Amino acid sequence: MKQHHITIYGPGCPRCDELARMTEHATNSLPGAWEIRKEKDPERMAAAGVLSTPGLELDGKLLLTGKVPTLPELQRLLAEGADCRPAAAEPATPCACSCGGGCACGSPGKPLWKRVLLIAAVLLLIICGIRALNSRHAESPVSPAEAPAQAAVQVVYYTFGTRCPTCVRMEQWVKEAVQQNFARELSASRLSFATKEATADIVAAYGLTTKSLLLHRGTEAPVNLTRIWELSKDEAAFKAYVTEEIRRLLKHE
């Protein structure tokens, strides 16, 4: 029985979990043995060519990114991907580089032009990140680990990559919780709310792996409200959690 390896790339958002569940269901009707694992590391996602999540890789070949297909579409992709892979005993496709055929310049089953395109995309992302970092430092000498605004407590929703409906909904709930419960603090500049794109330095400074809600106060380490994903389907509990954490921080300012 042939063993197949599937990797689901994503930060752990509901769409990523949905793709993982659908994949497990789809493989139950396909022949062979199937191993399914999840990968959340942003660097490994970029190395695999996943520029938008969720992504799915079968036996080292990236099949889809940035969407959750229907179950029939997913079954077809997996079936075709498993059947199209060459047997291990077959000779490798001759290399198209200047050294002639039969070399080991490219990995089996992955054309050279795809590898070049992938490397170019990763390099472009790195260059854009460096430019953004340089621009940020040129505008202000403030370290990313310091508080980003003037209010005593800053509520910041950091986002990066593809934005799913759940991410947009959570941002709206945070905004409503702040406006409904802290109107006096907002008008007195004791509290502020903002949505910001998490640049490379922000991700590194705060150890972010997905969209995150952080509470900043002065130069102290920010408080990461990690339960927002757990409560992303319960509006009342979500807003109560955010409100309680903000009040707790305001009491100690």
Side-chain angles (χ1 to χ4, degrees), residues 15 19 29 32 37 48 50 91 95 110 134 161 184 202 214 217 227 249:
R15 277 161 48 92
L19 178 59
S29 61
R37 59 181 293 269
V50 180
C95 178
K110 184 172 291 186
N134 291 339
R184 182 180 302 176
I202 290 292
L214 271 62
R217 184 176 65 185
R227 291 189 62 209
L249 207 59

Side-chain angles (χ1 to χ4, degrees), residues 124-161:
L124 181 60
L125 286 175
I126 294 174
I127 292 172
C128 290
I130 292 174
R131 286 182 176 177
L133 178 61
N134 291 339
S135 175
R136 180 183 178 88
H137 287 171
E139 292 173 0
S140 172
V142 179
S143 166
E146 296 177 358
Q150 295 180 351
V153 174
Q154 303 88 40
V155 182
V156 184
Y157 183 80
Y158 289 105
T159 180
F160 57 91

Side-chain angles (χ1 to χ4, degrees), residues 70-89:
T70 64
L71 182 58
E73 290 174 339
L74 183 58
Q75 289 175 323
R76 178 181 57 81
L77 280 173
L78 294 175
E80 291 179 353
D83 293 340
C84 289
R85 287 184 57 81

Side-chain angles (χ1 to χ4, degrees), residues 174-206:
V174 174
K175 184 177 180 180
E176 292 174 357
V178 171
Q179 292 176 341
Q180 293 168 2
N181 298 289
F182 302 99
R184 182 180 302 176
E185 288 81 359
L186 288 170
S187 62
S189 296
R190 292 180 59 209
L191 184 71
S192 66
F193 169 73
T195 298
K196 295 190 176 184
E197 184 72 17
T199 55
D201 54 337
I202 290 292
V203 172
Y206 303 141

